[in-house]
Amino acid sequence: MKHWDEFLAPYKQAVEELKVKLKGMRSQFELENCHSPIEFVTGRVKPIASILDKANQKNIPLEKLGSELQDIAGLRMMCQFVDDIKKVVELLRKRNDFEIVEERNYISHKKKSGYRSYHVVIKYPVQTINGERKILAEIQIRTLAMNFWATIERSLNYKYKGQFPEDIKMRLQRAAEAAFWLDEEMSLIRSEIKEAQIEFSRKTDSTDQE
Ligand code: 0O2
């Protein structure tokens, strides 16, 4: 147990630090009174049982967990609109407090399950009393609709251990499509709002000049 505590300590520290940093990005948008592409941020250290399950599934020996399991430290950034995801990824790419080692785009290439999300794997330096340690962390960026679907699918997966009955499988596929269309509709409404705002500011400008 002490061994796990020691192993997980830098991951816990990284998750805490990254939550503060990523939530800080949202606060900065609020301060500037502009639309924040980040709705909320969550973070977790993978439970030991899940680490062992995944290591087993992927044939990862325990001594290679740190270098091969990328999501022991996991962060999620939720966005309102699909376009916001791109903005968040660009903001992450500009940061110099970590290095991006991999990006996986499950939005343009959704998973067979129907899962959509953008994954950014980073190498994050943690300062410890024994010096710096660089650890891997995974940031998942997704819309509220993608998150809703993934959360429900995850709990069903837990219940059925991945062996979904056919009717549930079909409903999940339909729900994934519904989540996709919800994102599409919201994006369209969003451009409507933008256009209305431009129109409104043009009108107020011209009345000011009269
Ligand atoms: P948890 O409970 O979130 O920790 P893989 O081989 O596909 O399992 P890999 O290669 O490690 O995964 O990387 P990937 O696919 O980029 O990231 C895996 C993580 O993405 C998962 O972690 C989930 O968080 C999420 N994810 C991927 N596919 C699905 C899916 O079909 N449904 C849901 N709900 N989430 C998914 P874990 O460890 O599986 O789970």
Side-chain angles (χ1 to χ4, degrees):
M1 205 57 204
K2 188 167 176 281
H3 168 75
W4 275 110
D5 285 344
E6 275 169 17
F7 174 73
L8 292 177
Y11 294 94
K12 282 187 185 148
Q13 190 176 327
V15 168
E16 289 315 310
E17 290 179 13
L18 284 163
K19 271 202 287 188
V20 171
K21 291 181 177 196
L22 303 179
K23 284 180 184 180
M25 288 164 72
R26 181 188 153 85
S27 317
Q28 287 166 32
F29 280 101
E30 273 168 359
L31 266 178
E32 289 184 11
N33 269 335
C34 51
H35 165 77
S36 166
I38 304 156
E39 188 65 8
F40 65 94
V41 176
T42 62
R44 62 101 185 96
V45 173
K46 208 175 187 63
I48 298 171
S50 311
I51 295 179
L52 291 173
D53 274 355
K54 203 159 178 177
N56 205 15
Q57 276 166 27
K58 297 187 158 226
N59 277 323
I60 301 173
L62 288 187
E63 62 278 12
K64 288 203 172 156
L65 279 181
S67 56
E68 297 200 10
L69 212 56
Q70 296 175 323
D71 67 340
I72 297 177
L75 281 301
R76 266 183 204 147
M77 301 176 82
M78 263 56 73
C79 308
Q80 288 184 344
F81 303 102
V82 180
D83 276 357
D84 290 338
I85 296 177
K86 230 184 280 163
K87 280 183 211 142
V88 172
V89 174
E90 272 156 24
L91 288 170
L92 294 179
R93 287 185 189 139
K94 279 189 206 147
R95 294 188 70 107
N96 53 22
D97 50 351
F98 51 73
E99 179 198 339
I100 295 184
V101 292
E102 205 176 326
E103 294 185 20
R104 285 195 283 272
N105 187 345
Y106 297 128
I107 296 174
S108 39
H109 303 96
K110 70 167 179 177
K111 284 202 166 184
K112 231 176 116 213
S113 59
Y115 176 77
R116 289 184 306 138
S117 219
Y118 197 98
H119 294 189
V120 176
V121 180
I122 61 167
K123 207 176 252 181
Y124 181 74
V126 175
Q127 308 304 319
T128 78
I129 50 169
N130 300 314
E132 184 176 279
R133 271 207 49 201
K134 285 193 176 163
I135 59 136
L136 292 174
E138 183 178 79
I139 308 177
Q140 301 180 343
I141 306 132
R142 43 170 84 154
T143 62
L144 297 170
M146 292 173 195
N147 189 49
F148 184 30
W149 183 90
T151 308
I152 302 294
E153 198 260 2
R154 185 45 33 123
S155 25
L156 283 173
N157 213 319
Y158 187 73
K159 179 174 172 189
Y160 292 106
K161 300 191 170 53
Q163 304 295 313
F164 293 123
E166 275 310 307
D167 59 328
I168 305 269
K169 208 189 269 176
M170 190 191 71
R171 282 190 191 283
L172 275 172
Q173 287 290 343
R174 278 168 42 184
E177 278 161 34
F180 173 82
W181 284 113
L182 179 59
D183 276 334
E184 291 283 295
E185 289 299 325
M186 288 304 180
S187 298
L188 290 176
I189 291 173
R190 186 191 188 181
S191 18
E192 282 291 313
I193 295 167
K194 265 193 189 161
E195 274 170 32
Q197 281 170 340
I198 295 165
E199 196 65 21
F200 180 73
S201 62
R202 268 201 213 116
K203 266 198 183 143
T204 45
D205 279 356
S206 61
T207 30
D208 285 350
Q209 283 161 16
E210 279 167 12

